[in-house]
């Protein structure tokens, strides 16, 4: 059975082969623009945000400032991480969907069962991304609130990491599943049934996203790796 590391390693080799590179150029450019824009936006406003949030801390909790500051930083990094992930995948989703279909045909010898046309596939993929947002954003908001509740916020870093791995598993493994007409609810059910494979894969993708610049070129490999995971564990 293929594991997450092997899937992404093989997937990265697949996407840079002739005939597939055309499907990753646009997502890489989009990722770079969004990534650079978010980093600049946060860098320019970080001090102001930190001063504002620290001003909201009650006087009797000032002795916890040494803990509140890093929790704010962790929460901010989590929000930026999710913003980067959600925006880039919303824009690049149709291209990742086409890439996943091509990789599935080449790597597994099995074409996706999707019989939709090019335009219909692109439109349905964007609709699917909106459904994902409806699932992810409310849970993200709950976690952000928890990050500011005394005592509970001590669990926030662990909860953010776990949630990030789950979200990225949903994000990437959904490409081959959508191509094979697996509903969003069924997809989540399949991921839950094999939760270890799902979280290990999502966790590894999360680590890749944290590597500056290199992540832009590794994420298409994660799409191809998701195809291999789909074929090995979820089909």
């Amino acid at each position: 059975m293929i594991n997450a590391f092997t899937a992404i390693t093989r997937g990265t080799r697949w996407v840079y082969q002739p005939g597939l590179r055309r499907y990753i150029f646009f997502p890489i450019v989009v990722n770079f623009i969004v990534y650079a824009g978010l980093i600049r936006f946060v860098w320019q406003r970080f001090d102001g945000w930190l001063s504002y949030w620290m001003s909201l801390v009650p006087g009797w909790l000032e002795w916890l400032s040494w803990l509140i500051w890093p929790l704010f930083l962790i929460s901010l990094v989590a929000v930026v991480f999710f913003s980067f992930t959600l925006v880039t995948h919303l824009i690049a989703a149709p291209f990742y969907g086409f890439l996943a279909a091509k990789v599935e045909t080449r790597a597994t010898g099995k074409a996706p069962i999707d019989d939709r046309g090019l335009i219909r596939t692109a439109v349905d993929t964007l609709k699917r991304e909106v459904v994902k947002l409806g699932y992810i954003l409310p849970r993200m908001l709950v976690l952000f609130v928890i990050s500011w509740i005394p005592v509970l916020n001590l669990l926030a870093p662990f909860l953010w990491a776990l949630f990030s791995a789950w979200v990225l598993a949903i994000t990437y493994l959904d490409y081959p599943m959508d191509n094979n007409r697996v509903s969003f609810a069924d997809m989540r059910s399949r991921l839950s049934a094999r939760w270890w494979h799902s979280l290990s894969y999502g966790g590894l993708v999360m680590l890749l996203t944290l590597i500056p610049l290199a992540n832009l070129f590794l994420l298409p490999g994660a799409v191809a790796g998701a195809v291999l995971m789909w074929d090995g564990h979820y089909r």
Side-chain angles (χ1 to χ4, degrees):
M1 285 291 233
I2 192 169
N3 58 40
F5 180 80
T6 302
I8 292 179
T9 301
R10 292 181 183 175
T12 302
R13 290 201 296 265
W14 271 105
V15 297
Y16 287 100
Q17 290 182 356
L20 291 178
R21 288 194 289 261
R22 72 186 71 173
Y23 297 100
I24 67 175
F25 175 75
F26 182 77
I28 287 176
V29 172
V30 169
N31 286 348
F32 177 78
I33 293 173
V34 175
Y35 185 77
L38 278 175
I39 293 299
R40 181 182 179 186
F41 181 78
V42 172
W43 181 265
Q44 291 177 338
R45 290 163 175 77
F46 178 78
D47 289 339
W49 287 342
L50 179 60
S51 298
Y52 172 75
W53 283 105
M54 292 301 292
S55 69
L56 299 180
V57 178
W60 60 277
L61 283 180
E62 285 185 357
W63 63 279
L64 279 178
S65 59
W66 62 273
L67 179 61
I68 294 173
W69 190 90
L71 286 175
F72 168 79
L73 182 60
I74 291 172
S75 298
L76 181 61
V77 169
V79 170
V80 171
F81 164 79
F82 274 105
S83 300
F84 170 72
T85 300
L86 296 177
V87 172
T88 56
H89 286 87
L90 182 62
I91 298 172
F95 295 88
Y96 281 155
F98 298 144
L99 175 63
K102 295 296 182 181
V103 171
E104 184 170 353
T105 301
R106 284 196 182 191
T108 71
K110 307 169 187 175
I113 65 173
D114 191 353
D115 56 357
R116 294 170 292 181
L118 184 66
I119 302 300
R120 177 66 183 277
T121 298
V123 172
D124 287 352
T125 299
L126 289 175
K127 289 180 180 178
R128 183 95 160 198
E129 291 300 310
V130 173
V131 172
K132 288 181 195 175
L133 289 176
Y135 173 83
I136 293 170
L137 290 179
R139 291 162 176 79
M140 178 180 167
L141 179 60
V142 170
L143 274 180
F144 187 75
V145 171
I146 288 176
S147 299
W148 292 96
I149 299 177
V151 181
L152 282 180
N153 57 16
L154 298 177
L155 297 174
F158 173 77
L159 294 176
W160 275 114
L162 192 63
F163 183 61
S164 299
W166 177 245
V167 165
L168 287 173
I170 287 177
T171 299
Y172 282 87
L173 291 167
D174 187 49
Y175 291 122
M177 294 201 195
D178 185 32
N179 286 341
N180 286 275
R181 307 307 294 269
V182 176
S183 70
F184 186 70
D186 187 13
M187 180 270 295
R188 296 201 326 268
S189 177
R190 296 189 192 202
L191 264 59
S192 297
R194 290 184 171 269
W195 62 270
W196 171 249
H197 295 94
S198 304
L199 289 179
S200 62
Y201 182 79
L204 184 55
V205 175
M206 177 178 66
L207 293 178
L208 294 180
T209 63
L210 298 177
I211 304 174
L213 296 182
N215 55 10
L216 304 179
F217 300 94
L218 294 174
L219 292 183
V223 176
V227 173
L228 302 179
M229 291 290 287
W230 149 254
D231 188 59
H233 298 288
Y234 305 99
R235 186 185 290 273

